[in-house]
Amino acid sequence: MAHDIQESLRGWSRLSSHVVHQGGHLTLHHDRVLQPDGTEGTYDRVTVADGARTVAVDARGRVALVEDACYPLGRRLLHVPGGAIAEGECPGEAARRECEEETGLRPGTLRPLTAYHPLPTRTSAVTHLYLGTDLRPGAGPHRDPTEAGMTVRWIPLDDAVAAVRAGEITEAGSAIGLLLAVSALARQE
């Protein structure tokens, strides 16, 4: 099967690229490409920073979830803390920083859960997921203007996983992280 996957990736070539939009958080590229079947076409792709997220679990087995307004969805969204990795910053430190900025707590122990591509057909960005435990008060929260009104909710980890299964927590990184955290903590016990 791996051979079949590699064979299907061959053939893409970028002939040219034009920046359509460059903003504070993303760049939109319009590429002229040679497709795997040999024909020319176009492909729109986005460049965004890689991300880091933390499933922060306290000694009582509760997970810190943040809830804030999600402009594209037009509603509030419950998710694990996280955000963009700054240039030159390692993913683990970004995960700690984002957790502290959004919740006011800094994980003493941070274990990698996985890394995933949130939208691989449009961006090469990677999001790194961590399990954060041994939570300690940090210097935060220090939220940016887009996070005004953000709140922290402490939910038993099992209830958060049930919320993923019920479709109440829908953000992909949060769903992946919560499900992986349960198994990581079970292996630790």
Side-chain angles (χ1 to χ4, degrees):
M1 182 170 155
H3 176 70
D4 294 339
I5 292 171
Q6 288 301 318
E7 285 297 316
S8 68
L9 294 177
R10 293 185 186 178
W12 284 101
S13 297
R14 185 178 307 145
L15 302 173
S16 66
S17 184
H18 172 71
V19 173
V20 176
H21 171 77
Q22 186 158 9
H25 298 285
L26 66 84
T27 302
L28 173 60
H29 306 266
H30 183 73
D31 296 347
R32 192 167 61 90
V33 297
L34 187 60
Q35 300 172 126
D37 68 357
T39 61
E40 281 192 32
T42 59
Y43 202 99
D44 294 328
R45 62 186 174 84
V46 177
T47 301
V48 295
D50 289 345
R53 317 289 302 280
T54 303
V55 180
V57 180
D58 70 7
R60 294 172 46 195
R62 300 176 306 162
V63 63
L65 297 173
V66 294
E67 184 177 50
D68 64 340
C70 185
Y71 173 73
L73 297 180
R75 65 180 177 88
R76 292 181 65 79
L77 189 68
L78 190 62
H79 56 90
V80 299
I85 299 172
E87 192 170 328
E89 186 177 35
C90 76
E93 192 50 42
R96 277 192 167 94
R97 175 184 51 75
E98 285 287 341
C99 186
E100 182 176 359
E101 287 176 359
E102 294 182 3
T103 69
L105 298 169
R106 190 166 178 87
T109 302
L110 198 64
R111 291 190 301 168
L113 290 172
T114 195
Y116 70 98
H117 294 92
L119 192 58
T121 61
R122 293 294 164 224
T123 183
S124 61
V126 174
T127 298
H128 302 267
L129 284 170
Y130 293 89
L131 173 61
T133 55
D134 189 25
L135 304 176
R136 302 167 186 178
H142 297 290
R143 299 179 182 134
D144 68 44
T146 66
E147 298 167 333
M150 179 181 276
T151 58
V152 179
R153 290 178 49 191
W154 288 95
I155 299 173
L157 183 55
D158 290 340
D159 291 352
V161 169
V164 168
R165 290 192 171 111
E168 297 163 6
I169 294 177
T170 59
E171 190 276 322
S174 298
I176 295 166
L178 291 165
L179 294 170
L180 289 175
V182 167
S183 63
L185 288 168
R187 284 192 309 269
Q188 179 179 311
E189 292 174 357

